[in-house]
Amino acid sequence: MNTNSILISGGTGFLGSALTKQLIQKNYAVTILSRSAEKVFATFGNSVQAVSSITDLPDAGSFKAVVNLAGAGIFDQRWTEPRKQLLRDSRIKLTKQLVAWIASATQPAPAVVSGSAIGVYGDQGDKFLTENSASIADFSQQLCADWESAALEAEKFGSRVCLIRTGLVLGDNGGILKRMLLPFRLGLGGRLGNGKQWMSWIHLHDWLAIVEAMIEQPAMRGPYNATAPEPVNNQQFSASLASVLKRPLLMPIPEAPLKLLLGEMAALVLGSQRVLPERLLAQGFAFKYSQLDTALRDILHKP
């Protein structure tokens, strides 16, 4: 095993590219599994290895960890039935293929960090949610649950599996902020629906630190909520973003047109998950950004 070698699927996405850059800076040897080697090299140059097929990978035991982040964008297109199938295949099918590769290896990958999301809990209103909370079924919940189940199969073959249940990641190159900034900068931002739905957010810096801890700490396994300790509701989030940008908060968008515009996908912006990172806090993880205002000021470079 190369004690510094990491395999990443989904390494050119918002989270994967940020993780790749950080791991390179810390002298890990990164291999990216991607259908487009050209995109990998355009993003990272020769600082990473690119592999376009699982069948071309070396033995799983040659990696310190596998970080499985691949998946079509959940918010990129309206959820038609073919799109929903693509969302499932791009996560679950690939995860099963990675587990089969681990199973066939002479040695397993010591650690698997596999993507998931707080959507695994479903829409739960004001209820506080921890890793032990029961779920309420909907499409996103089933997608995440099946994705996690596929990843956990790697435990049977000797890998330590961590499930990172990611909240709304705040960073300056993508994610939810990229979608929200233009209307808010134009003074056209506002709450969505009644604004009471909870938004469990996390600064990209802390998300990256969590993944690195999962790679390096043998005691970590199972599901972890990757969210800041202080979730806010949509009204609070909108007000905070407007305040940091020094813009008015004028234009609430009612629930009905959101549902008309987005269809079933409206659940992503109107659903509510009030999530607490109970297991991370219990294991001593220290968040750098616990307050939303501080996180937004850092990302938007505002004093």
Side-chain angles (χ1 to χ4, degrees):
M1 179 186 75
N2 182 335
T3 56
N4 236 20
S5 190
I6 310 293
L7 174 67
I8 302 177
S9 68
T12 58
F14 168 50
L15 296 179
S17 61
L19 178 63
T20 299
K21 289 171 185 174
Q22 175 155 309
L23 292 176
I24 291 168
Q25 289 173 357
K26 296 193 173 186
N27 296 315
Y28 288 89
V30 178
T31 299
I32 294 179
L33 177 64
S34 172
R35 286 172 297 178
S36 174
E38 294 80 7
K39 186 175 182 181
V40 173
F41 290 123
T43 307
F44 304 110
N46 293 321
S47 58
V48 302
Q49 297 289 321
V51 176
S52 58
S53 171
I54 290 175
T55 57
D56 295 329
L57 286 170
D59 193 85
S62 64
F63 293 99
K64 179 185 183 75
V66 175
V67 183
N68 176 30
L69 302 174
I74 194 78
F75 207 78
D76 288 357
Q77 295 181 29
R78 193 179 175 97
W79 287 354
T80 61
E81 289 306 313
R83 181 65 184 178
K84 286 161 77 172
Q85 191 59 51
L86 176 64
L87 292 173
R88 289 184 58 82
D89 287 347
S90 63
R91 288 164 173 77
I92 300 158
K93 189 174 180 180
L94 177 67
T95 300
K96 288 181 175 179
Q97 291 170 345
L98 283 169
V99 170
W101 165 68
I102 291 169
S104 68
T106 55
Q107 286 185 307
V112 174
V113 178
S114 196
S116 184
I118 58 173
V120 73
Y121 299 109
D123 182 359
Q124 302 231 32
D126 290 334
K127 182 179 179 182
F128 284 107
L129 302 171
T130 72
E131 290 87 354
N132 292 319
S133 296
S135 297
I136 293 177
D138 59 22
F139 172 71
S140 294
Q141 184 276 326
Q142 195 64 56
L143 174 66
C144 291
D146 291 347
W147 195 11
E148 291 186 1
S149 293
L152 286 170
E153 288 293 304
E155 289 185 332
K156 295 178 180 178
F157 309 107
S159 294
R160 172 178 62 86
V161 178
C162 292
L163 305 170
I164 185 162
R165 292 176 173 173
T166 299
L168 299 167
V169 182
L170 306 182
D172 59 2
N173 291 314
I176 188 172
L177 271 185
K178 187 175 182 179
R179 299 176 184 277
M180 296 179 72
L181 277 177
L182 181 60
F184 273 79
R185 280 178 167 150
L186 294 173
L188 301 174
R191 72 170 193 268
L192 302 178
N194 63 20
K196 294 180 180 179
Q197 68 273 31
W198 287 90
M199 298 177 67
S200 296
W201 60 277
I202 186 168
H203 191 296
L204 179 60
H205 170 94
D206 286 325
W207 186 88
L208 293 170
I210 291 166
V211 175
E212 192 171 343
M214 289 175 167
I215 290 170
E216 291 293 344
Q217 295 181 17
M220 294 185 75
R221 63 173 62 238
Y224 290 86
N225 292 333
T227 59
E230 298 190 22
V232 296
N233 65 30
N234 179 261
Q235 173 65 36
Q236 293 167 325
F237 189 99
S238 301
S240 181
L241 181 55
S243 175
V244 168
L245 292 171
K246 295 182 169 57
R247 293 292 187 271
L249 189 66
L250 298 177
M251 300 285 288
I253 304 176
E255 187 173 309
L258 279 170
K259 288 184 174 179
L260 187 64
L261 175 67
L262 300 174
E264 188 178 358
M265 194 167 65
L268 293 177
V269 295
L270 296 173
S272 180
Q273 287 102 22
R274 191 179 189 181
V275 178
L276 300 177
E278 185 175 77
R279 293 193 68 211
L280 285 171
L281 293 174
Q283 293 185 13
F285 182 84
F287 285 84
K288 184 175 181 180
Y289 298 97
S290 295
Q291 301 287 329
L292 179 61
D293 279 0
T294 307
L296 290 174
R297 290 184 189 284
D298 174 75
I299 293 162
L300 300 172
H301 311 293
K302 299 290 185 179

